[in-house]
Amino acid sequence: MIRNINKLLKKEKEKKPPVQNNQEDSKPQDVLYHSFDQNIEIFRSIYQNCSDAMFRSFLLFGQKRAMIIYIEGLSDIEGIENFVLTPIMQITLDESQSLNEFLENKMPVSKVKKVKLVADCIESISNGNPILLFEGELNGYSLGLAKWEKRSIEEPVAEGGIRGSREGFNESLGVGTSLLRRIIKSPALKMQGMTIGSYSRTNVVLAYIEGVADKTLIDEMTNRLKRIEIDGILESGYIEEMIEDNPYSPFPQIMSTERPDIACSSLLEGRAVILVEGTPFSLIAPISFFSLIQSHEDYYQRFMIGTTIRWLRYLFFGVSLLFPSLYVAILTFHQEMVPAQLLLSMAASREAVPFPAIVEALLMEISFEALREAGVRLPKQIGAAVSIVGALVIGQAAVQAGLVSAPMVIVVAITGISSFMIPRYIAGIAIRMLRFPIMLLAATLGLLGITMGIIAIALHLCTLRSFGVPYLSPLAPLKVRELKDVLWISPLWKMDTRPRLTGESNVYRQSPGQEPGPKKGGDTE
């Protein structure tokens, strides 16, 4: 597996250097001038026609000019007034000789950074940190006074549950990193920051646990992130599409989540997490196909219950993919497989239907998908009502009008309910999309067509990789020791090893022999 990633790194080195973005080339890289007026003129020309760019000028000692530049709505106005303007304007003339010392050591601002390049000043201002300029100074000072409105920490909407944490990521990158730090307090948790997007300048953080995550994996992820050259990153989906192994596959090779506990459990397994400013959805890689079927609640309840629910999930995963196709194939080619009494009942229900089974199935499936999408896009107050009432009214009206049969409505309803059992929304979309070509194969070749479709999907899954990790791992290639968290859920005290994703730098996650019970407590007589 490490060999696969090394091959990817070698291919990346052999590629020609990409053409630089024009916006990136046009970024001002000049150093600040000695002339105060010239520096101010540069910034005024850069922020021309920007009504939210504030230029606050004042006098130091009543004679030395100074200016603070910030963006309204991104910086802490009260902090600027109380911790910058007030103490600086109150400096006496005797203290003028130690101005730099005051700015770097005595200013009541937690973060003060000296900047020399105009580009660094612009990036600081865009991040909400005001820039302080003085007459006669070759350097500016970036002040850590960023403050903007953000959504409070709320329960994740798309990944709810009965048991577990109620906290979810929000759009603030600082809140996201702090939530990870609250759970994993070890300094081995590393946060590697970078900026992507020539216009958006989006802050991105790559989080991993040093000594647990394989170094080759981190190098590959860093390389893929740094080679992204795009105007802007508006959501983590942009990054997901730019760094995945096979962008033409319907199956995701990177998992998204808005739950800090899922992100931290992935970090402890040796995976890496990508946090993006402006979105509550973080990215987790590498993953396997079975990661998309697992739910966080599988590990928060008794392992026997979790195993039962997981097998139920596997069962209905197959139902959501194949049930309409099996119905179409049996009605079209294999009527002998149906018991006589059931076949007579189905034939009676289809007596007035003028369409073949495949047309019925396509009509109902497309209508159901349209209703589901409408329920998602409509306002929350009426979305659920439209979905439920629409399904009932359309289904009943279609049966009474003789357009579809009652068994087909039942098949489509069971298929739709089954698709809701897949924990990951993106995996559910992939199954919904693959359902249609398999239905067409069933209508043309019967069960043989369904078999061909299943074989094609299995072959495709076997060729997929997620950052060098086989997509069907640990089932293909087979690793019996790791099946304890795939086909069944072992007790927590038996999960003493981590999944072998890209290396074996830190295999054991807990001490062996922790089975609970009185005999383990050291009985005394």
Side-chain angles (χ1 to χ4, degrees):
M1 288 176 283
I2 297 179
R3 191 180 305 148
N4 294 331
I5 295 185
N6 288 333
K7 288 181 180 179
L8 293 174
L9 286 171
K10 185 177 180 181
K11 289 180 181 179
E12 196 61 34
K13 291 178 181 178
E14 293 174 353
K15 288 183 180 179
K16 295 180 179 180
V19 179
Q20 295 295 325
N21 187 283
N22 292 332
Q23 174 68 12
E24 195 72 24
D25 292 341
S26 63
K27 283 175 56 180
Q29 299 291 341
D30 296 333
V31 297
L32 293 172
Y33 294 97
H34 192 276
S35 170
F36 179 77
D37 292 328
Q38 196 169 0
N39 288 332
I40 298 303
E41 183 63 28
I42 290 174
F43 286 104
R44 287 193 181 277
S45 63
I46 291 173
Y47 289 103
Q48 186 178 7
N49 297 328
C50 297
S51 59
D52 56 345
M54 301 289 118
F55 293 79
R56 173 64 165 91
S57 60
F58 56 95
L59 292 177
L60 188 65
F61 319 130
Q63 57 185 8
K64 194 170 185 178
R65 292 182 297 169
M67 178 168 286
I68 185 168
I69 307 172
Y70 62 94
I71 300 293
E72 187 177 16
L74 296 182
S75 300
D76 185 0
I77 305 298
E78 293 184 1
I80 293 174
E81 294 175 354
N82 298 331
F83 306 133
V84 180
L85 295 178
T86 300
I88 288 181
M89 295 174 71
Q90 292 178 352
I91 298 176
T92 62
L93 185 61
D94 295 337
E95 296 172 323
S96 63
Q97 301 299 324
S98 59
L99 177 59
N100 290 333
E101 180 184 354
F102 172 83
L103 292 174
E104 296 180 3
N105 302 324
K106 297 182 180 180
M107 178 178 286
V109 176
S110 60
K111 187 177 180 181
V112 179
K113 179 184 177 182
K114 186 182 293 186
V115 289
K116 298 181 179 180
L117 298 177
V118 176
D120 293 339
C121 294
I122 294 173
E123 184 170 357
S124 176
I125 294 171
S126 299
N127 288 329
N129 299 317
I131 289 293
L132 189 59
L133 301 175
F134 290 97
E135 187 176 15
E137 291 287 333
L138 290 174
N139 303 315
Y141 292 88
S142 173
L143 310 176
L145 292 172
K147 182 182 179 181
W148 55 81
E149 297 297 327
K150 56 180 178 288
R151 185 168 59 94
S152 60
I153 298 176
E154 301 172 355
E155 183 177 356
V157 178
E159 298 177 83
I162 298 175
R163 187 171 182 176
S165 173
R166 303 296 181 184
E167 292 182 337
F169 292 121
N170 63 10
E171 289 74 14
S172 173
L173 184 61
V175 172
T177 55
S178 66
L179 288 174
L180 295 183
R181 289 284 183 191
R182 282 174 53 187
I183 300 176
I184 302 177
K185 301 178 176 63
S186 170
L189 175 59
K190 305 300 180 183
M191 304 278 188
Q192 183 177 340
M194 60 192 73
T195 303
I196 303 177
S198 55
Y199 285 99
S200 66
R201 308 299 297 165
T202 306
N203 293 321
V204 177
V205 167
L206 175 63
Y208 61 94
I209 298 180
E210 190 175 41
V212 175
D214 189 78
K215 188 178 184 302
T216 310
L217 167 67
I218 303 304
D219 291 342
E220 171 65 11
M221 295 192 71
T222 304
N223 181 56
R224 294 193 191 186
L225 288 171
K226 288 185 175 180
R227 76 184 183 191
I228 298 176
E229 294 184 2
I230 192 173
D231 286 346
I233 299 293
L234 304 183
E235 214 276 334
S236 58
Y238 283 46
I239 293 179
E240 178 181 358
E241 191 170 349
M242 298 288 281
I243 66 174
E244 62 184 353
D245 292 59
N246 188 348
Y248 297 103
S249 172
F251 294 95
Q253 296 113 65
I254 300 174
M255 188 171 69
S256 62
T257 182
E258 54 180 335
R259 295 187 63 96
D261 54 345
I262 293 180
C264 288
S265 66
S266 300
L267 290 170
L268 293 171
E269 289 181 346
R271 295 180 171 92
V273 175
I274 300 175
L275 303 173
V276 183
E277 181 76 50
T279 175
F281 289 93
S282 60
L283 303 177
I284 299 173
I287 63 168
S288 67
F289 172 77
F290 303 102
S291 302
L292 304 173
I293 310 298
Q294 298 170 353
S295 172
H296 63 280
E297 283 190 296
D298 293 348
Y299 308 95
Y300 297 161
Q301 52 195 352
R302 302 185 66 82
F303 64 93
M304 294 175 289
I305 300 174
T307 300
T308 304
I309 294 176
R310 182 171 294 183
W311 273 105
L312 193 66
R313 206 176 290 139
Y314 283 139
L315 172 63
F316 281 96
F317 178 89
V319 168
S320 65
L321 177 64
L322 301 175
F323 197 23
S325 304
L326 289 172
Y327 181 81
V328 170
I330 290 174
L331 280 187
T332 307
F333 295 99
H334 310 284
Q335 296 90 347
E336 68 278 1
M337 297 179 62
V338 184
Q341 192 66 31
L342 179 59
L343 184 61
L344 291 175
S345 176
M346 294 171 63
S349 65
R350 285 185 47 80
E351 185 177 1
V353 178
F355 304 115
I358 181 61
V359 176
E360 270 191 284
L362 289 176
L363 283 175
M364 290 305 298
E365 284 290 343
I366 293 174
S367 301
F368 187 85
E369 294 297 331
L371 284 171
R372 186 195 320 224
E373 196 66 18
V376 172
R377 306 302 166 198
L378 286 172
K380 190 180 298 184
Q381 292 81 357
I382 62 175
V386 168
S387 299
I388 297 172
V389 174
L392 291 174
V393 171
I394 292 177
Q396 184 65 25
V399 172
Q400 291 182 351
L403 297 177
V404 296
S405 60
M408 180 60 73
V409 175
I410 296 174
V411 168
V412 172
I414 293 176
T415 304
I417 294 173
S418 301
S419 64
F420 290 130
M421 293 192 65
I422 303 175
R424 301 295 162 194
Y425 179 73
I426 186 64
I429 293 179
I431 296 304
R432 287 156 55 185
M433 186 180 70
L434 292 173
R435 190 185 302 151
F436 290 96
I438 296 181
M439 287 168 54
L440 295 176
L441 287 173
T444 54
L445 298 174
L447 292 180
L448 176 61
I450 296 177
T451 306
M452 292 172 59
I454 295 175
I455 292 174
I457 294 174
L459 289 175
H460 174 69
L461 292 176
C462 289
T463 61
L464 280 183
R465 296 288 186 273
S466 176
F467 286 88
V469 176
Y471 202 60
L472 293 181
S473 175
L475 198 60
L478 182 61
K479 297 179 181 177
V480 179
R481 186 178 180 86
E482 295 186 24
L483 294 178
K484 60 187 176 183
D485 195 23
V486 174
L487 300 182
W488 64 88
I489 302 177
S490 297
L492 183 62
W493 39 268
K494 279 192 175 182
M495 294 188 184
D496 52 353
T497 58
R498 294 185 176 86
R500 298 181 183 179
L501 298 173
T502 57
E504 302 178 5
S505 56
N506 192 340
V507 176
Y508 292 95
R509 68 167 79 189
Q510 65 186 24
S511 300
Q514 297 197 64
E515 181 180 357
K519 62 180 179 179
K520 300 294 181 182
D523 295 341
T524 58
E525 295 183 358

